[in-house]
Structures are given as C-alpha cells and as structure tokens.
C-alpha cells in the first residue's frame, strides 16, 4: 500500500470520525429510518454513515469499490454490516476509477470529473493521481441478492445518475450528493427519479446533518433552488421521499 493511500485514509478518518458529526447523522437518520429497515450505503468511504444507520437499528449493506477503503472497512465495520467491495452503475462490468490519493473521498468513476473540477470551488488543490480497476454491479442485482431497501444513500462524486440507471423500481427514500459545480449531474439524477416515481425533496447543506427546509418540496421548487441558491451553498445532500410509484 502506498504511503499516499495510507495518509488519505488517515485524513478521512480524522475528518469523518468526528463525534459531533456522527451524532448529528444519527439524529437525522432516526427521523427517517426504523429498526429492521434495509439500507444501502453507496460510497461508504470510512463507514461513518453505515455506522449511523446501524445505530438506528437498520440492516446495512455498504458498498465501497476503492481497495484501500474496502480493506479498512473489512477490518473495522461491525460484522453485521454487509460489505460489498464494488461500485454501482448501469451494468455489471469492470471500470477504471480516477483516484485522488491525498483526497480519496473525491475519487470517482465519472471520467470527466478531473477536467470539470478545475473550475469548481473547493477542488483547486485536488489531483487525481492514480487509477484503480474496480468491479461494478447494479442496484437491481443487489436488490435481488439482499432485498428491497427502504433507503439508498449515494455519494459517488458526480456518478449518481449512473448508479440509479441500474435501478428499475422506485424505493421509499434516496439521498444523493449535489455539487454546485456539477449541475448537470444533479439534473441527471432528478430526471431518473422522475422516471421511477413521484418524489418530494429536502436538502442538507454540507455536513450539517439537518434538513435546511421545514417542509418537503416538489421537484420544481428543488430545481429552482439548485439553479439560484445551491451554487453559493457548497456541496450537500438532497433527500428524495417517494410519494407515489
């Protein structure tokens, strides 16, 4: 294992294993998830979201394709969390992931991300300096193997629409990361969700782990917010709650 990869893991652990942040995540999930609910954590990274979901009594399947982080999770996650060392996409295949050893949380299967990120705030010092061949499976295949999840969390640096392209049925709750510099990525996710069912939405800015809006809003209002306010808000997560299939 390269020194850069080890330092990247340690950096992520220091950032995300923050007791206050982990507590806020648990508090948010307790309003959304019940004991026994099946959940998919796609882009598990160092496993803090998987642990928060487990704390709420959920059954968790964690997906992490980066070999260094999959190894970390294999050694550190509770045994009742199922780990799948794979990415999710439209089809089952093998693919090349662009990896940033210093900032591994932004590693991605989105081929265009290194070029797009040159003009994105917060990415000025990120370099994708390595590649990793990873296994790609689909949400449909994982549902066949593990069951239909109540909640799917997706954090894959602009590859979210491709993850949902491998899903052929609606699920009750989905969250996905939005990046102000990649509006087209969020638009692709919303288009796919609209094909799957009717959803309403709420927003968590940054790592606040609390909803920004007092109510859930329709897609038109979310699109308006993404176009007018999100560019100045930094990254965060959009939560989509199913109204009707």
């Amino acid at each position: 294992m390269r020194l850069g990869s080890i330092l990247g893991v340690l950096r992520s652990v220091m950032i995300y294993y923050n007791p206050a942040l982990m507590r806020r995540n648990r508090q948010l999930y307790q309003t959304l998830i019940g004991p026994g609910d099946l959940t998919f954590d796609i882009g598990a990274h160092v496993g803090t979201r998987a642990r928060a979901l487990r704390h709420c009594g959920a059954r968790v399947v964690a997906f992490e394709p980066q070999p260094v982080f999959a190894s970390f999770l294999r050694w550190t996650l509770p045994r009742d969390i199922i780990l799948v060392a794979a990415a999710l996409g439209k089809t089952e295949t093998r693919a090349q992931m662009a990896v940033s050893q210093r900032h591994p949380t932004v590693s991605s299967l989105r081929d265009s991300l290194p070029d797009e990120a040159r003009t994105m705030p917060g990415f000025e010092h990120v370099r994708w300096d390595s590649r990793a061949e990873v296994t790609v499976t689909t949400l449909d295949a994982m549902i066949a193997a593990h069951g239909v999840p109540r909640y799917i969390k997706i954090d894959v640096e602009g590859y979210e629409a491709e993850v949902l392209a491998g899903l052929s049925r609606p699920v009750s709750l989905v969250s996905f990361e939005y990046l102000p510099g990649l509006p087209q990525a969020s638009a692709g996710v919303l288009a796919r969700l609209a094909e799957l069912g009717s959803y309403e939405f709420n927003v968590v800015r940054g790592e606040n782990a609390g909803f920004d809006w007092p109510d859930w809003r329709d897609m038109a209002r979310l699109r308006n917010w993404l176009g007018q306010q999100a560019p100045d808000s930094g990254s965060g997560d959009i939560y989509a709650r199913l109204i009707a299939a």
Side-chain angles (χ1 to χ4, degrees):
M1 186 181 298
R2 296 179 180 178
L3 177 60
S5 297
I6 295 173
L7 293 176
V9 172
L10 292 176
R11 184 175 185 272
S12 292
V13 168
M14 292 177 63
I15 292 171
Y16 293 104
Y17 275 85
N18 177 307
L21 174 59
M22 295 176 72
R23 182 174 62 254
R24 291 196 299 269
N25 281 323
R26 291 194 299 266
Q27 290 170 344
L28 175 63
Y29 286 144
Q30 283 170 348
T31 69
L32 302 169
I33 304 299
D37 285 344
L38 178 62
T39 60
F40 286 1
D41 178 3
I42 301 174
H45 201 49
V46 290
T48 50
R49 297 293 185 97
R51 289 177 181 273
L53 290 165
R54 177 181 180 271
H55 179 86
C56 297
R59 295 176 292 131
V60 184
V61 184
F63 299 87
E64 178 49 58
Q66 294 188 69
V68 63
F69 285 98
S71 296
F72 173 82
L73 294 174
R74 195 171 289 114
W75 282 101
T76 60
L77 282 180
R79 298 300 96 184
D80 56 355
I81 294 179
I82 297 172
L83 174 64
V84 178
L88 278 293
K90 185 176 182 179
T91 60
E92 294 181 310
T93 185
R94 300 280 293 177
Q96 291 289 322
M97 172 174 280
V99 175
S100 172
Q101 294 188 70
R102 185 176 180 184
H103 304 90
T105 187
V106 298
S107 298
S108 178
L109 285 173
R110 185 181 178 92
D111 291 335
S112 56
L113 182 62
D115 290 330
E116 293 167 325
R118 292 173 183 170
T119 59
M120 289 167 55
F123 284 77
E124 296 88 349
H125 305 294
V126 178
R127 298 292 180 270
W128 285 265
D129 51 4
S130 183
R131 307 283 289 183
E133 184 175 352
V134 300
T135 298
V136 182
T137 186
T138 68
L139 276 168
D140 281 344
M142 293 297 95
I143 286 173
H146 302 287
V148 180
R150 170 171 171 74
Y151 170 49
I152 299 175
K153 166 255 177 184
I154 312 173
D155 185 351
V156 290
E157 304 305 313
Y159 203 69
E160 289 79 8
E162 286 78 3
V163 171
L164 288 174
L167 177 67
S168 59
R169 59 177 296 164
V171 296
S172 297
L173 185 67
V174 176
S175 72
F176 63 95
E177 183 185 33
Y178 69 85
L179 294 168
L182 292 178
Q184 66 275 29
S186 296
V189 175
L190 295 181
R192 181 59 186 147
L193 288 173
E195 293 172 347
L196 292 170
S198 179
Y199 284 86
E200 58 185 2
F201 303 89
N202 213 323
V203 172
V204 173
R205 300 201 200 197
E207 296 292 343
N208 294 328
F211 286 131
D212 205 53
W213 301 337
D215 56 342
W216 292 74
R217 303 180 180 181
D218 63 22
M219 188 174 292
R221 295 177 72 185
L222 174 65
R223 289 184 189 277
N224 181 66
W225 181 84
L226 283 170
Q228 296 185 14
Q229 298 184 50
D232 299 321
S233 71
S235 63
D237 295 310
I238 294 171
Y239 282 74
R241 186 169 69 178
L242 184 66
I243 302 172

